[in-house]
Amino acid sequence: MDINRGAYPDALTPWEDPSWRTAALGWLDARLDELGVRETGPRQVRVRPWSVLVRVEAADPVWFKAASPGSAFEAGLGEALSRWTPRHVLTPYAVDAGRGWSLLPSGGPVLRGLGAGPREWEAALTQYADLQRALVPRAEELLRLGVPDARVAGLPVVFDDAVAGNGTLDAADRERLRLFRPRLVAWCEELAAIGVPDSLDHADLHDGQILVAGAGRYTFFDSGDANVGHPFCSLLVALERVAEEHGSDVVARLEDAYLEGWTGHTLADLRRAAELARRLSQLTRAGSWARLFPTSAHLGDPERAAALLRLL
């Protein structure tokens, strides 16, 4: 098997444990037998501090994913989303929610490789907003699945925990963050008052996490960074990626296209909510870097610190 460790050659993951590897590959083999999948080439393994992926070559490639303990909810979340919102997500072939394992179809080409322009981004963001609105009534169920709680009222506590638990911040940075906290609380109060309801925040929505499922139709995957919180927090990564690819001039138009379906609020309020949510979503980015395999957890500290300081 070809093993790709990317930029983390020294990260310790369960892949290094022979007993874990035997169990995981045994589960994978059993599921492939049940599906009648005939392998056509060597397996490719991608090891990262947050997940282990195995690509199975077949007429239609199949993916095994093992999430870190902090993202183990992803397996059960994927199964639930495939029942609640099947048009917008992949339907897993098999799930072991207790161990955070999933077996997934390939799902089509990734948006990033197709030269997507602003028109494609607009369609994808509009559909993603449809997904989020469909999940508003499911917020409590999402929490029961183990999806992390990043609802606006609790973000000051998330902030406190992130600062206290980070070993990279120096004394000066900690003081700057302490002095900033009242402003963060005020942002949270203002955002909550606008009244957009909680939903699923993917928290890492970029064109490498969006599949083209057909003409003008997309599916969204890789939810290991997800939270239950303000839906507009998802705009941070997406619009940063758009600005990198197509310039900042198109960002406002795409943001408005995303906001259009959130009825019951003025456009001015929605734009203000989007501005606040994009600022506060640095907290969920910091939280994502806390969800690494325990033996590699220290690798996320610099990224968590950087995300916290970007709040300033």
Side-chain angles (χ1 to χ4, degrees), residues 5 41-42 64 73 105 108 114 133 136 187 190 194 200 241 259 265 268 293:
R5 297 183 180 273
F64 165 81
F73 65 85
L114 299 179
R133 285 192 296 275
V136 165
W187 286 351
E190 182 182 357
I194 293 172
L200 185 71
R241 179 64 177 167
L259 295 174
H265 309 273
F293 289 115

Side-chain angles (χ1 to χ4, degrees), residues 74-93 95 102-108 124 127-135 142 145 199-202 205 209-214 217-224 226:
E74 184 182 6
L77 173 62
E79 190 277 330
L81 293 180
S82 72
R83 290 186 283 106
W84 297 338
T85 57
R87 180 176 176 271
H88 300 300
V89 298
L90 294 174
T91 297
Y93 288 133
V95 163
S102 303
L103 189 65
L104 301 161
S106 58
Q127 185 185 325
Y128 177 69
D130 291 343
L131 165 65
Q132 289 182 301
R133 285 192 296 275
L135 293 173
L142 291 168
L145 287 171
S199 185
L200 185 71
D201 164 26
H202 185 284
L205 186 69
Q209 317 276 40
I210 303 172
L211 298 169
V212 179
R217 193 169 73 82
Y218 304 92
T219 52
F220 308 96
F221 73 106
D222 201 350
S223 303

Side-chain angles (χ1 to χ4, degrees), residues 1-65:
M1 284 182 285
D2 177 36
I3 300 177
N4 175 352
R5 297 183 180 273
Y8 303 93
D10 300 323
L12 295 176
T13 73
W15 183 258
E16 282 68 53
D17 180 348
S19 62
W20 183 93
R21 197 164 60 242
T22 297
L25 295 179
W27 184 86
L28 170 60
D29 291 340
R31 304 293 81 76
L32 294 176
D33 286 345
E34 292 168 0
L35 293 166
V37 172
R38 179 175 173 274
E39 297 189 50
T40 59
R43 296 176 179 180
Q44 301 173 45
V45 181
R46 196 187 82 162
V47 177
R48 297 292 187 269
W50 52 86
S51 67
V52 174
L53 291 174
V54 180
R55 176 185 167 109
V56 177
E57 296 297 337
D60 291 309
V62 178
W63 292 85
F64 165 81
K65 181 172 186 178

